[in-house]
Amino acid sequence: MAVSLSKGQKVDLTKGHPNLSKLTVGLGWDTNKYDGGADFDLDASAFLLGDSGKVRSDTDFVFYNQPKHPSGSVYSTGDNRTGAGEGDDEQIKVDLQKIPADVMKVAFTVTIHEAQARKQNFGQVSNAYIRVLDDVNNTELIRYDLGEDFSVETAVVVAEIYRAGTEWKFNAIGSGFEGGLAALCNNFGIQA
């Protein structure tokens, strides 16, 4: 049974699952009734971060235009432009054994594509969640439902996995940003 977390909670990922190496990080959401005329296109991304909390280079940013990290440790399964349907809207695959040794964290984010032009924000998004599955047996290990505490934000750092000695842990963050993808990139050391 999956561990359900609240904002700010941390939980061991590999300690209770010593053979865990391949993960699927699924992100999902619904959009509230919205009469702006434009569809919502939310995008999941991952930032591989060093000791400084910043990327080591621009290749440490995995997103729709750069869907696979050079190490093969993190990759996106594709861009869902509508969010329609049941289950995860987008997924990011992670191979813990392939993550470079000097990467201390992997931050998972969601942004609204062209949010400013479309006058959209996370106040118009509901039922957002992140979940971590063990790829070997397709078992859900962790789930974090974001709740409805966003209004003007156009980007969210949803969660992160991070090294704690030889183990990996999961942190439910839920921190919003104004300024979309560019604000996130700047926060993590990429000049957008």
Side-chain angles (χ1 to χ4, degrees), residues 116-134:
Q116 188 171 7
R118 297 177 181 183
K119 296 179 173 46
Q120 298 172 339
N121 60 59
F122 274 97
Q124 298 160 317
V125 174
S126 60
N127 302 321
Y129 69 85
I130 185 170
R131 65 190 191 124
V132 177
L133 293 93
D134 180 342

Side-chain angles (χ1 to χ4, degrees), residues 24-30 42-46 62 74-78 80 83-94 107-111 122 125-133 140 142-146 156-160 170 174:
T24 296
V25 177
L27 297 111
W29 53 80
D30 293 320
L42 275 64
D43 297 308
S45 303
V62 176
V74 178
Y75 67 92
S76 169
T77 62
N80 178 339
E86 294 297 311
D88 300 335
D89 291 308
E90 292 193 9
Q91 293 183 330
I92 297 172
K93 300 281 191 172
V94 178
F108 300 99
T109 67
V110 177
T111 55
F122 274 97
V125 174
S126 60
N127 302 321
Y129 69 85
I130 185 170
R131 65 190 191 124
V132 177
L133 293 93
E140 184 176 299
I142 298 168
R143 183 179 183 96
Y144 167 43
D145 293 300
L146 265 71
V156 177
V157 179
V158 182
E160 68 186 11
F170 179 91

Side-chain angles (χ1 to χ4, degrees), residues 23 83 102 112 144 186 191:
L23 312 174
D102 58 341
I112 301 173
Y144 167 43
N186 187 48
Q191 299 305 313

Side-chain angles (χ1 to χ4, degrees), residues 4 16 32 40 55 59 70 76 87 96 122 126 141 156 166 178:
S4 185
N32 297 335
F40 270 79
V55 296
T59 61
S76 169
L96 296 174
F122 274 97
S126 60
L141 304 173
V156 177
T166 59
E178 288 185 62

